[in-house]
């Protein structure tokens, strides 16, 4: 094994890079992609400079792997940005502050309100059908309402 590591050719580095890229397909989150690219880069350098000592090859692989992993980490952090639609896919949150009609009377704190073409469960004060209520909060699929002015 030691003998193999001391005499790695560019094919070995390229094969390592391909293996890491294949493993990336199974869901490593991008990190094996960049480490595989580091192995491929060392393979290319070993092809260009075939007399490169094995110690330098492993040192370059380590440096490239760390540099590319840090690059990926930094890129992932900078990719997080604030949405211009923060309530997208949080439909109940976008309803807060809006006024709707009671669809099914709110009795014992429970009832239903009509929101566009759907009906939502509502929690709030006793209200007969047709009463205007304002959404003030959300607990899962249940909207918290209060009497509208």
């Amino acid at each position: 094994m030691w003998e193999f590591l001391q005499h790695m050719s560019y094919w070995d580095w390229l094969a390592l890079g391909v293996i890491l890229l294949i493993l990336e397909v199974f869901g490593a989150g991008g990190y094996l992609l960049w480490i595989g690219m580091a192995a491929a880069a060392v393979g290319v350098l070993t092809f260009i400079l075939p007399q490169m000592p094995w110690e330098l090859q492993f040192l370059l692989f380590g440096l490239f792997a760390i540099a590319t992993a840090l690059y990926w980490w930094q890129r992932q952090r900078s990719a997080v940005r604030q949405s211009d639609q923060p309530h997208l896919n949080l439909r109940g949150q976008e309803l807060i502050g809006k006024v709707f009609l009671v669809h099914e009377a709110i009795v014992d704190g429970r009832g239903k309100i009509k929101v566009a073409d759907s009906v939502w469960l509502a929690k709030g004060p006793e209200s007969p059908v047709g009463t205007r209520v304002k959404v003030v909060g959300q607990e899962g699929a249940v909207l918290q309402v209060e009497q509208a002015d």
Side-chain angles (χ1 to χ4, degrees):
M1 180 66 158
W2 185 250
E3 188 71 26
F4 172 74
L5 293 176
Q6 290 179 337
H7 296 93
M8 284 185 67
S9 71
Y10 67 92
W11 284 114
D12 298 320
W13 285 109
L14 293 175
L16 176 62
V18 167
I19 289 169
L20 290 170
L21 292 175
I22 289 170
L23 290 174
E24 173 61 35
V25 171
F26 295 108
Y31 288 102
L32 290 181
L33 167 74
W34 297 102
I35 295 173
M37 296 297 281
V42 173
V44 169
L45 286 175
T46 305
F47 178 75
I48 294 170
L49 305 167
Q51 299 303 320
M52 185 186 315
W54 66 272
E55 297 93 346
L56 182 58
Q57 291 178 26
F58 281 96
L59 179 66
L60 286 173
F61 174 67
L63 291 174
F64 288 163
I66 290 170
T68 56
L70 288 173
Y71 167 76
W72 179 248
W73 177 73
Q74 181 63 32
R75 186 167 181 251
Q76 289 295 90
R77 283 191 51 193
S78 67
V80 176
R81 59 185 168 100
Q82 294 298 323
S83 173
D84 57 343
Q85 297 178 347
H87 297 299
L88 186 65
N89 294 329
L90 299 172
R91 184 148 184 235
Q93 293 293 314
E94 70 183 17
L95 299 176
I96 294 176
K98 295 185 179 175
V99 177
F100 301 101
L101 296 176
V102 174
H103 181 72
E104 191 175 294
I106 301 176
V107 179
D108 293 329
R110 295 285 211 189
K112 295 182 181 178
I113 62 173
K114 181 89 167 157
V115 177
D117 62 346
S118 63
V119 177
W120 283 70
L121 293 173
K123 179 179 170 183
E126 304 278 326
S127 304
V129 174
T131 306
R132 292 171 38 96
V133 291
K134 180 178 180 181
V135 178
V136 293
Q138 177 186 11
E139 291 178 6
V142 178
L143 298 175
Q144 298 171 339
V145 297
E146 62 183 25
Q147 297 287 333
D149 296 329

